[in-house]
Amino acid sequence: MMARQDISPATGGAPTESKPFVDFNRVWLAYDDELARRGEFAVEDISLQAAAGEFIAIVGPSGCGKSTFMKLATGLRPATRGAVSIAGEKVHGPLKQVGMAFQAPTLLPWRTTLDNVMLPLEIVEPYRSTMRAKRDAYVARARELLKTVGLSGYEDKYPWQLSGGMQQRASICRALIHRPRMLLLDEPFGALDAFTREELWCVLRDLWQAQRFNVILVTHDLREAVFLADTVYVMSARPGRILLRKEIDLARPRPLEVTYTEPFAERVHELREKIGHVRQH
Ligand SMILES: Nc1ncnc2c1ncn2[C@@H]1O[C@H](COP(=O)(O)OP(=O)(O)OP(=O)(O)O)[C@@H](O)[C@H]1O
Ligand SMILES: [Mg+2]
């Protein structure tokens, strides 16, 4: 098994909060040496800094390198040029203490909702080695988290007994159960109907407001980006570069009704225009 890099200075260590939590410094990535030789990069010259607890969203056309950005941020792919640091540490391998959720439901069909949510605790330290002694406390934590996303009563159901939206709620609980400092969401709500999607925006908003982990959200939905994020980055078509950084200065906490206001629409339009421009080239 590959050694995983720990980014959680639970005790001791230099304080990292004054530095950016996420730091991309002129990062380029080509998927293999041949592509690098030909100068074919999936992302080019990405520089981006996010403060501790900041919620960022990345939007851009299909194939522009959003998922590639996520792989760089978690250390699943090394940068071809430039450097990525998370929590003040240079990334040199897959990171611990990161939670992830994706568009396709990835719950294990043979496990109940509760057991799916518990999965990271069976893998990530310090939970793994204390599972036997503290199992009851961990189960209580999983039940509590499921309650906050409205899944009380579904703990013992299997994924196929849940709706798509419920499965996605459970996936978000699984991504957060080990209290990661960073949550990566790659189009987590893309497959859901508009009502469920908006409900889950609020679930995510409330979890983030309470725990203030860093979030990197990849989405095609500009309203979603503006509603949830502190800062939205627009990427260009392949090869992906960052074209625009837009701070969303809407007051928090943001009620869903903010999405019907003029200031909200203005911000969405501004991003929309930028993306329209990208797609014409
Ligand atoms: N494993 C891989 N090997 C080689 N090329 C890849 C690999 N993964 C992605 N690419 C290429 O890198 C580019 C960026 O892909 P990426 O998956 O990051 O795009 P994306 O923005 O997430 O797209 P989408 O919105 O469709 O999910 C694409 O041109 C893709 O073909
Ligand atoms: Mg993608």
Side-chain angles (χ1 to χ4, degrees):
M1 198 170 129
M2 218 177 322
R4 288 196 154 222
Q5 189 177 342
D6 195 346
I7 56 163
S8 66
T11 51
T16 53
E17 308 310 327
S18 53
K19 294 187 195 165
F21 186 81
V22 179
D23 189 2
F24 275 60
N25 187 7
R26 309 207 67 170
V27 173
W28 299 59
L29 182 128
Y31 269 100
D32 60 44
D33 295 345
E34 175 57 27
L35 290 168
R37 253 194 309 279
R38 293 208 304 260
E40 289 184 23
F41 294 90
V43 297
E44 287 190 359
D45 204 20
I46 303 271
S47 290
L48 175 158
Q49 283 80 34
E54 188 174 338
F55 194 133
I56 70 171
I58 298 184
V59 298
S62 185
C64 74
K66 302 182 295 297
S67 297
T68 303
F69 177 89
M70 295 298 218
K71 291 177 208 166
L72 286 159
T74 51
L76 294 176
R77 285 273 175 180
T80 310
R81 297 185 201 156
V84 177
S85 298
I86 304 288
E89 302 263 340
K90 198 165 169 211
V91 173
H92 49 74
L95 295 181
K96 279 184 188 178
Q97 290 294 322
V98 174
M100 291 205 209
F102 305 99
Q103 178 172 4
T106 53
L107 299 177
L108 300 173
W110 59 87
R111 285 187 159 224
T112 63
T113 304
L114 184 73
D115 287 342
N116 265 290
V117 171
M118 297 279 290
L119 188 68
L121 303 183
E122 295 167 19
I123 298 167
V124 177
E125 294 294 1
Y127 304 101
R128 180 190 157 97
S129 53
T130 51
M131 180 52 94
R132 232 177 236 260
K134 296 194 178 166
R135 189 175 164 85
D136 289 352
Y138 295 159
V139 167
R141 186 197 285 190
R143 287 182 179 277
E144 189 57 37
L145 198 51
L146 283 165
K147 191 167 143 200
T148 63
V149 303
L151 281 181
S152 278
Y154 292 89
E155 294 88 347
D156 300 327
K157 301 268 190 256
Y158 288 87
W160 45 272
Q161 296 173 302
L162 305 180
S163 72
M166 288 169 159
Q167 291 183 38
Q168 210 51 295
R169 285 163 205 250
S171 298
I172 290 172
C173 290
R174 186 181 57 186
L176 290 173
I177 188 73
H178 56 302
R179 299 191 178 148
R181 296 185 65 191
M182 185 159 77
L183 177 64
L184 299 189
L185 300 170
D186 198 344
E187 296 193 51
F189 311 130
L192 305 174
D193 68 82
F195 297 110
T196 310
R197 193 180 311 159
E198 291 184 354
E199 250 175 63
L200 289 192
W201 291 355
C202 295
V203 165
L204 177 58
R205 173 199 61 194
D206 294 344
L207 286 169
W208 175 79
Q209 201 88 46
Q211 300 182 26
R212 296 304 296 265
F213 36 79
N214 272 74
V215 183
I216 304 177
L217 168 72
V218 161
T219 180
H220 282 124
D221 184 340
L222 300 180
R223 294 176 65 246
E224 178 171 300
V226 171
F227 179 64
L228 287 168
D230 296 314
T231 317
V232 179
Y233 292 88
V234 177
M235 283 179 74
S236 69
R238 187 167 201 267
R241 284 174 169 262
I242 288 174
L243 288 184
L244 177 72
R245 173 183 188 275
K246 169 96 186 138
E247 278 180 40
I248 308 299
D249 51 353
L250 299 169
R252 291 194 186 269
R254 296 176 188 160
L256 194 57
E257 290 68 40
V258 79
T259 61
Y260 304 114
T261 64
E262 193 52 40
F264 183 87
E266 274 169 22
R267 285 156 181 78
V268 173
H269 275 141
E270 190 185 326
L271 295 173
R272 177 73 243 164
E273 274 174 10
K274 193 75 193 178
I275 292 198
H277 185 73
V278 170
R279 293 178 73 90
Q280 283 158 20
H281 289 81

